[in-house]
Amino acid sequence: MKIAIVCYPTFGGSGVVATELGIALANRGHEIHFVTYKQPVRLDLLNANIHFHEVHVPEYALFQYQPYELALSSKLVDTVKMYGIEVLHVHYAIPHAYAGYMAKQMLAAQGIHIPMITTLHGTDITLVGKHPFYKTAVTFSINQSDVVTAVSESLRKDTLSLFEIEKEIEVIPNFIDTTKYKPSFTDCQRSLMAADGELIVTHISNFRKVKRIPDVIAVFYKIQQQLPAKLLMVGEGPEREKAEIQCEQLGITDKVIFLGNSNEINKILCFSDLFLLPSESESFGLAALEAMVNEVPVISSNTGGIPEVNIHGETGYLSPVGAVEEMANNAISILKDPHVLSQFKKRAALMAQDFDLLKILPLYEEVYEKAYASRDSLSTS
Ligand code: GMT
């Protein structure tokens, strides 16, 4: 099929999922057109089935805010017409579902009827989308989508309770290409980051408030009091500077390495022993899944969709949001015994197999087929 994918091109989870999905679909013979304002960070264009269309928003002095939705919907109309796109798949409701709806309407006025699938990712519902300033438009654009999917059961429930939704929401969990995660011995150089005998604890995120970065540091502080360990902080965001100050105040700067944004997540996870994800809210927790596939157990909060991925006492431990002491004790109980650690590692990797690309991709293909088959009803509605 010819599919246009709209997503954020940044390091955030929704962009990563959309990009990996597009690549996997292209590998299965679909023609994929990414439409966004920058080449997505994980997108390798060396594939005859992958195309990237950049949305330009020219600066104009009159505008305090540049009208991105307008430029995006125009670009979508042009791309659909030029390449004969059959299905439009937008990731993250704001503003993509809204711009997609406008594109659909403009195309319909020209006799072209194209189905739109909206995938909800989390903050587009639980944090930003529910804000009164956006809620009306978000509700409208979800209801106007032909198919709506959510990345976890928890997000499906949250969407239904926070918005007046008239559509069914199908759960298609996030996925991972497990074949990509076979670290060769030479790739996995833990000596780059830690001395012999030191454990490696890792956190990866966009360092926003919702990730509770101070809890990451507080949990690690308690771990390093009991066991020799290093903390790798991967990512960039508004909470990073405060985190560096917190480490300084606690006197642990020599044990915490801030790596910034990285394209080498698998190399980092390959030598990690434990992953921390104490988020305030998390619709799925793709970073936890990426850790698990790399045999890294997860200490997390029990919020949102995380319990659908991280299984308490099996692949790691779950605690209430903010329960730093409990998280640290759980972490120590895993890390202090090499046998226990290796059991958790094995079970984490095994659980990750449930989210293998080969299991999840057909669910999206089914959705595309169904949406495409319904296009005749679109022309009469
Ligand atoms: O919170 C982030 O890390 C970014 C955000 C995004 O949309 O880019 O992530 C959301 O979507 C991810 C992919 O579906 C999920 O794995 C994350 O759990 C979700 N984040 C939150 O719900 C806070």
Side-chain angles (χ1 to χ4, degrees):
M1 289 185 96
K2 295 184 179 189
I3 304 160
I5 293 183
V6 179
C7 64
Y8 282 102
T10 50
F11 279 92
S14 63
V16 168
V17 170
T19 308
E20 298 287 354
L21 176 63
I23 295 170
L25 289 164
N27 289 338
R28 271 159 88 109
H30 299 282
E31 187 178 307
I32 304 301
H33 294 257
F34 284 95
V35 185
T36 182
Y37 58 83
K38 207 172 71 187
Q39 184 176 326
V41 284
R42 288 208 190 171
L43 184 62
D44 179 357
L45 286 173
L46 285 178
N47 184 322
N49 285 338
I50 292 183
H51 308 262
F52 165 56
H53 309 276
E54 190 168 325
V55 180
H56 296 279
V57 191
E59 296 264 326
Y60 184 59
L62 188 67
F63 303 146
Q64 186 177 355
Y65 308 106
Q66 306 306 317
Y68 179 65
E69 291 90 315
L70 212 64
L72 174 59
S73 54
S74 292
K75 189 76 180 180
L76 281 172
V77 170
D78 297 345
T79 309
V80 167
K81 285 165 69 181
M82 191 169 293
Y83 295 91
I85 301 296
E86 292 161 316
V87 169
L88 179 59
H89 189 178
V90 303
H91 289 259
Y92 208 90
I94 308 170
H96 299 152
Y98 192 73
Y101 169 75
M102 288 313 298
K104 261 183 69 137
Q105 292 304 103
M106 287 188 266
L107 287 160
Q110 299 170 48
I112 302 168
H113 300 280
I114 180 161
M116 176 170 83
I117 292 124
T118 297
T119 292
L120 309 173
H121 279 272
T123 47
D124 47 350
I125 296 299
T126 55
L127 207 71
V128 194
K130 71 174 188 199
H131 193 285
F133 292 171
Y134 297 118
K135 197 171 174 180
T136 308
V138 172
T139 309
F140 175 80
S141 35
I142 292 174
N143 282 331
Q144 293 300 319
S145 305
D146 298 290
V147 180
V148 183
T149 74
V151 298
S152 66
E153 183 54 35
S154 145
L155 182 59
R156 189 185 80 86
K157 286 191 183 138
D158 282 347
T159 310
L160 293 176
S161 75
L162 291 167
F163 298 84
E164 276 167 35
I165 298 299
E166 296 149 8
K167 294 227 91 84
E168 279 209 9
I169 301 178
E170 201 168 316
V171 175
I172 303 187
N174 286 333
F175 57 86
I176 201 114
D177 180 354
T178 56
T179 58
K180 273 195 193 166
Y181 299 86
K182 299 240 180 301
S184 67
F185 178 69
T186 46
D187 277 338
C188 207
Q189 297 172 325
R190 57 183 296 134
S191 58
L192 287 173
M193 295 294 158
D196 271 359
E198 260 182 338
L199 294 153
I200 300 183
V201 179
T202 299
H203 171 78
I204 304 174
S205 78
N206 46 21
F207 285 57
R208 283 179 297 149
K209 260 204 154 55
V210 71
K211 303 292 172 182
R212 294 185 69 99
I213 301 296
D215 287 6
V216 174
I217 313 273
V219 171
F220 175 73
Y221 180 72
K222 288 175 189 295
I223 296 174
Q224 60 83 44
Q225 283 180 318
Q226 306 274 329
L227 299 163
K230 281 263 162 62
L231 173 64
L232 305 185
M233 297 289 277
V234 186
E236 284 292 346
E239 294 287 294
R240 176 178 165 163
E241 212 173 298
K242 270 187 259 163
E244 286 173 289
I245 295 169
Q246 189 184 354
C247 291
E248 206 179 342
Q249 286 166 346
L250 291 169
I252 53 170
T253 41
D254 56 330
K255 294 184 179 173
V256 184
I257 305 170
F258 286 85
L259 290 169
N261 282 332
S262 173
N263 275 323
E264 299 196 297
I265 296 300
N266 292 329
K267 282 194 187 170
I268 294 167
L269 288 169
C270 138
F271 46 62
S272 299
D273 296 301
L274 196 74
F275 190 78
L276 300 181
L277 192 67
S279 309
E280 182 83 36
S281 94
E282 199 72 67
S283 71
F284 182 88
L286 184 65
L289 179 59
E290 290 192 322
M292 285 161 58
V293 78
N294 279 287
E295 297 193 351
V296 185
V298 177
I299 294 294
S300 68
S301 53
N302 57 8
T303 185
I306 303 182
E308 295 171 46
V309 183
N310 183 24
I311 310 301
H312 188 69
E314 295 272 323
T315 61
Y317 285 108
L318 299 148
S319 300
V321 172
V324 165
E325 189 82 34
E326 185 181 309
M327 289 181 193
N329 289 340
N330 287 336
I332 292 163
S333 76
I334 296 179
L335 289 172
K336 73 175 183 204
D337 182 337
H339 177 67
V340 173
L341 178 59
S342 96
Q343 295 299 309
F344 271 91
K345 278 177 180 254
K346 276 192 203 129
R347 289 192 299 253
L350 196 65
M351 177 69 189
Q353 299 295 324
D354 281 4
F355 298 92
D356 185 41
L357 172 71
L358 291 177
K359 289 187 183 149
I360 309 298
L361 197 62
L363 304 180
Y364 276 115
E365 286 180 313
E366 236 171 73
V367 161
Y368 297 146
E369 298 288 347
K370 202 169 68 185
Y372 186 62
S374 73
R375 72 194 183 288
D376 292 339
S377 67
L378 297 180
S379 58
T380 52
S381 60

